[in-house]
Amino acid sequence: MTNPRDIMTPAVLHVLLSLADGERHGYGIKLDVEERTDGAIRLGPGTLYEAIHRLEKSGWIEETNHDERRKFYRLTRAGRRHLEKELNRLNEIIRFARSKALLR
């Protein structure tokens, strides 16, 4: 299994966040990320499918089904654990920055 620090890129984090609500296909993940970030993050096909591949390999997401055109993915328990761990880590950074009056 891959070390979370090796793969928790912003793209990976956003893919995991997108799948936290339920299963989606690749293009659905892309649209969700763009909508949630008001277009600030746009995952190109290479970035998106590389992240999906790495997450599948790590056991953090799994393919649930597919049709002729699309594969659908969902978060695994391990993926949800790692997502929560990363969000807690980011929350600690934000708390520290606020304690230094670096954020409002």
Side-chain angles (χ1 to χ4, degrees):
M1 183 169 302
T2 307
N3 184 327
R5 293 178 191 203
D6 293 338
I7 68 167
M8 195 60 77
T9 64
V12 164
L13 178 59
H14 282 285
V15 169
L16 292 173
L17 285 169
S18 181
L19 293 174
D21 294 333
E23 71 178 43
R24 295 185 197 280
H25 53 76
Y27 188 67
I29 294 169
K30 173 186 171 28
L31 293 178
D32 179 64
V33 170
E34 288 178 8
E35 181 180 316
R36 192 168 13 86
T37 64
D38 291 327
I41 296 180
R42 296 182 182 276
L43 300 175
T47 302
L48 174 62
Y49 289 101
E50 173 64 22
I52 287 172
H53 173 74
R54 291 168 69 191
L55 287 165
E56 272 190 296
K57 189 175 177 181
S58 74
W60 294 7
I61 68 171
E62 61 189 1
E63 184 180 331
T64 57
N65 59 47
H66 62 277
D67 58 26
E68 294 96 34
R69 298 178 5 191
R70 301 178 285 200
K71 292 181 180 180
F72 290 78
Y73 303 94
R74 72 174 163 213
L75 204 55
T76 63
R77 278 190 211 144
R80 187 167 297 277
R81 258 192 337 269
H82 287 291
L83 175 59
E84 289 173 2
K85 188 176 182 180
E86 178 67 2
L87 293 174
N88 285 329
R89 185 186 73 79
L90 293 171
N91 190 47
E92 287 300 312
I93 292 169
I94 296 299
R95 244 184 41 205
F96 180 75
R98 285 191 173 127
S99 76
K100 300 290 184 183
L102 298 170
L103 291 174
R104 296 176 201 165

